[in-house]
Amino acid sequence: MMEKVQLVGAGPGDPDLITVKGLRAIQEAEVILYDRLISPELLDDAKPGAELIFCGKLPDHHHLQQETINYLLVKHAKAGKRVVRLKGGDPFVFGRGGEEAAFLAEHGVPFEIIPGITSGIAAPAYAGIPVTHRDHSASFAIVTGHRREGEKEDQKWAALANGIDTLAIYMGVKNLPYIQQRLIENGKSPQTPAALVHWGTTKAQRTVTGTLATIADIAQAEGVTNPSMIVIGEVVRLREKLRWFNEWEAETVLAVGAGQ
């Protein structure tokens, strides 16, 4: 009997943010195909003998091509194995979960989606930034930082600049100067507060803040790289009052570890 493949959201980095259902799937799996940004601690919960297959992706370098990942999901499922595809954040938020689910459906393999907490909400929360607030933000958008030129893109930038209170931008550090330029030229105030949350929800979390006009220069000066969540909106002002996660302690732990 063919088992259903479970596409599991591992959450944003803190292993404690995995859902109960997601953790159960990991514990029962015979094959786990996992991404780069999941917490390695989650794999400690895999049962003895489970096959662990790394599918991590770096910018411009994929350990396994997406076509290979799709093939392996179908292959192991049709061999009667309990297969988990463990993805950072949520499978359907910039995780190609929709593509993998479609491939499984096309090949007659049953599947189940187990949602996870996405970093566009969790990373700001750990930095003391609510993406919505009654006084500051009635709307927020989850946006990819990989954007291209074109007429349709121009329309999207105009909508993002003028129609959304809070922007949570994934995978955008490399394109931050371009993002900054397009938002400003489409009417977003250069003085709009902005933040970058690096390795959000993990012990390595670090947050830098500025304005839309200054955040690209600050990111470069501070050496902020991916993975980082970009947050743009008035809600960033609340960080000073709502910050609760001890980033200083986390940075101290890392510095001590580096010296050992």
Side-chain angles (χ1 to χ4, degrees), residues 7 43 108 110 122 146 163:
L7 306 182
L43 298 176
H146 299 310

Side-chain angles (χ1 to χ4, degrees), residues 7 70 92 96-109 111:
L7 306 182
N70 293 345
F92 278 6
R96 295 197 176 184
E99 297 174 36
E100 293 172 354
F103 190 87
L104 292 167
E106 290 166 6
H107 288 78
V109 177
F111 61 88

Side-chain angles (χ1 to χ4, degrees), residues 99-193:
E99 297 174 36
E100 293 172 354
F103 190 87
L104 292 167
E106 290 166 6
H107 288 78
V109 177
F111 61 88
E112 175 183 16
I113 310 300
I114 301 180
I117 299 173
T118 186
S119 57
I121 297 170
Y126 267 56
I129 303 170
V131 293
T132 65
H133 188 280
R134 187 168 59 175
D135 297 327
H136 301 285
S137 175
S139 61
F140 75 96
I142 290 174
V143 184
T144 175
H146 299 310
R147 309 206 69 89
R148 295 185 175 88
E149 299 280 359
E151 182 179 349
K152 290 185 178 180
E153 284 300 303
D154 291 341
Q155 295 172 0
K156 290 176 182 177
W157 281 117
L160 291 172
N162 298 291
I164 305 296
D165 294 326
T166 305
L167 302 177
I169 303 175
Y170 294 61
M171 304 167 288
V173 174
K174 184 178 179 181
N175 290 335
L176 188 50
Y178 173 73
I179 293 168
Q180 176 188 55
Q181 172 194 343
R182 296 311 307 271
L183 288 173
I184 291 174
E185 69 185 17
N186 278 283
K188 197 80 170 173
S189 170
Q191 299 308 310
T192 304

Side-chain angles (χ1 to χ4, degrees), residues 72-94:
L72 290 173
L73 291 174
V74 170
K75 173 189 172 182
H76 288 294
K78 290 193 171 182
K81 301 290 184 64
R82 296 179 67 98
V83 180
V84 160
R85 176 72 172 102
L86 191 59
K87 309 175 77 66
D90 180 272
F92 278 6
V93 180
F94 303 129

